[in-house]
Amino acid sequence: MKVLVIGGGAREHALCRSLSLDPDVTALHCAPGNAGIAEVAELHPVDALDGPAVAGLAAELAADLVVVGPEAPLVAGVADAVRARGIPVFGPSAEAARLEGSKAFAKDVMAAANVPTARAYVCADAQEVDEALDAFGPPYVVKDDGLAAGKGVVVTDDIEAARRHALACDRVVIEEFLDGPEVSLFAVTDGETVVPLQPAQDFKRALDADEGPNTGGMGAYSPLPWADPKLVDEVVQTVLQPTVDELRRRGTPFSGLLYAGLAITSRGVRVIEFNARFGDPETQVVLARLRTPLAGLLRAAATGALATFPALRWSDGAAVTVVIASHNYPGTPRTGDPIEGLSEVAEQDEHAYVLHAGTKRGASGEVLSAGGRVLSVTATGSDLSTARDRAYRAVSRLHLDGSHHRTDIAAKAASAES
């Protein structure tokens, strides 16, 4: 089949890499892509937020499947525009993508579906904000209701910082703090059947030991040796299937990738948030372990055929991703710096590879930084310790002036293995 992937980050590079390894994929295209994706797919300079343009490109390419990667095009209705042309698309409608586009909407759906989540207030003015902060007390959890590229959440003991963030949002959700470790669980769904993937854990803070500001994610690993073996089944039964059923009941079926961000609290599993697409950087490690060819799975979801799709096959090993970020990320990142060492990783690291996030080609063909999160270095191994060692060995071969990365990705989980 011919496949078109929409987006240009490390998540899309991971998707394109897996699709390029699928023997059923005869042609792979990406719009707009990046310097790394260009090595496995043909790039097209299309605005990912322009639904008619994306649908037109898909028709022109005679695509058998369109995969919409990022959240903003989904919320903008790009999948709807492609579906209207009669082309199978992996990604929810704009209405269903409100599950990520509006945290208040997500809370409403969870309440109707009896899905366990944090207690919350939706606030529209300063008085409501002050009342909500007072009701919950520290640590304060303040979330921009709309899309914020993974940086719309503030968790702080400082009430003034919490209040400032709340008042900077048009509409804000303030909720109780959830204790316990966090888990990301993705599920592929066609609006009825729910097929869970393997869980992963990501690292949101910029610095080691979970210090520093919140980011879009600085690394991830899978599997989770410390997690209850029944966790996936429990989340499907109490979170994912009820949410999919509720959206279908409302007449806005969710077809695509449903991502549950979870807290494993002392009172049980609670939903922190939903996303309407593959997460970044968790996708990098989850797809590294998936053995089932990806294109058929995504097309089955896009065409309502998941009920008869064979059980997924997984590697028994582990995967670790370390994100290399540009100078000053997650503030205003510096861009345009050359990236060195990419060919060394390709030549010397059999079990590691580099996924591009924010990169572009310079005038002389060199690879330059072009965003905040620049590279996702991903490695596999028989266990987390091996995968982790391989990932950091590959990181050590790379050079980007002023860049930074965390040195503790999967460290606790790897030590817990032994």
Side-chain angles (χ1 to χ4, degrees):
M1 67 180 90
K2 296 178 186 172
V3 183
L4 169 62
V5 176
I6 304 303
R11 162 187 47 227
E12 288 76 37
H13 194 177
L15 288 164
C16 285
R17 180 181 183 274
S18 290
L19 290 165
S20 73
L21 298 173
D22 186 333
D24 287 337
V25 175
T26 53
L28 182 58
H29 302 267
C30 186
N34 62 39
I37 294 172
E39 296 175 10
V40 294
E42 183 179 342
L43 302 191
H44 301 269
V46 170
D47 180 356
L49 295 172
D50 187 336
V54 170
L57 174 63
E60 179 188 327
L61 296 171
D64 299 296
L65 176 67
V66 176
V67 180
V68 183
E71 60 273 26
L74 292 168
V75 172
V78 168
D80 302 88
V82 176
R83 273 194 195 94
R85 297 289 288 266
I87 301 168
V89 57
F90 183 81
S93 66
E95 272 297 302
R98 288 179 65 208
L99 205 58
E100 176 169 7
S102 168
K103 291 175 179 62
F105 175 76
K107 288 289 185 185
D108 183 62
V109 170
M110 283 188 272
N114 201 27
V115 168
T117 186
R119 293 180 299 121
Y121 295 101
V122 180
C123 306
D125 60 38
Q127 182 179 340
E128 291 179 352
V129 165
D130 288 340
E131 288 172 356
L133 292 173
D134 186 54
F136 287 130
Y140 304 101
V141 181
V142 185
K143 299 181 175 182
D144 191 331
D145 179 54
L147 294 181
K151 290 176 271 188
V153 180
V154 165
V155 181
T156 178
D157 289 323
D158 182 342
I159 191 168
E160 287 307 316
R163 192 170 189 274
R164 274 196 308 276
H165 182 65
L167 296 179
C169 304
D170 288 336
R171 189 160 77 144
V172 66
V173 175
I174 296 175
E175 62 185 41
E176 68 174 325
F177 176 76
L178 296 174
D179 64 324
E182 295 184 13
V183 172
S184 301
L185 184 63
F186 303 161
V188 173
T189 178
D190 57 10
E192 292 192 23
T193 301
V194 172
V195 177
L197 305 186
Q198 289 285 305
Q201 186 174 60
D202 78 333
F203 294 74
K204 289 292 186 199
R205 298 286 183 170
L207 307 176
D208 284 5
D210 293 326
E211 299 286 336
N214 231 24
T215 72
M218 295 298 292
Y221 69 93
S222 177
L224 312 183
W226 49 268
D228 187 328
K230 302 194 204 99
L231 175 66
V232 172
D233 289 342
E234 178 189 345
V235 173
V236 170
Q237 291 167 16
T238 63
V239 174
L240 297 168
Q241 192 71 58
T243 300
V244 168
D245 292 345
E246 172 61 19
L247 286 167
R248 189 174 67 253
R249 186 190 69 76
R250 292 178 179 218
T252 56
F254 188 106
S255 170
L257 196 290
L258 180 55
Y259 163 156
L262 309 163
I264 314 301
T265 77
S266 54
R267 295 168 294 146
V269 174
R270 296 288 185 273
V271 175
I272 301 169
E273 64 177 355
F274 281 125
N275 291 326
R277 40 72 195 181
F278 280 101
D280 183 345
E282 301 98 318
T283 300
Q284 288 86 302
V285 291
V286 172
L287 293 187
R289 297 186 57 227
L290 180 64
R291 290 291 166 262
T292 297
L294 184 61
L297 172 64
L298 303 189
R299 197 171 195 281
T303 56
L306 273 181
T308 57
F309 196 80
L312 301 186
R313 294 180 291 111
W314 295 92
S315 146
D316 291 332
V320 172
T321 285
V322 179
V323 170
I324 297 177
S326 57
H327 177 74
N328 201 41
Y329 177 79
T332 304
R334 192 174 80 204
T335 60
D337 289 310
I339 301 164
E340 298 169 359
L342 293 168
S343 59
E344 284 79 358
V345 174
E347 291 163 7
Q348 299 178 42
D349 293 277
E350 182 185 353
H351 301 283
Y353 50 89
V354 181
L355 298 167
H356 292 229
T359 68
K360 66 179 181 181
R361 288 279 177 190
S364 306
E366 72 276 33
V367 179
L368 304 175
S369 62
R373 291 186 295 171
V374 181
L375 304 170
S376 283
V377 181
T378 302
T380 56
S382 57
D383 53 28
L384 283 172
S385 294
T386 305
R388 189 171 181 278
D389 288 347
R390 289 170 173 171
Y392 278 106
R393 188 180 310 129
V395 167
S396 72
R397 301 191 202 282
L398 300 166
H399 178 74
L400 171 63
D401 189 46
S403 68
H404 62 98
H405 64 272
R406 285 185 57 158
T407 66
D408 61 348
I409 303 300
K412 280 186 188 171
S415 62
E417 272 183 335
S418 53

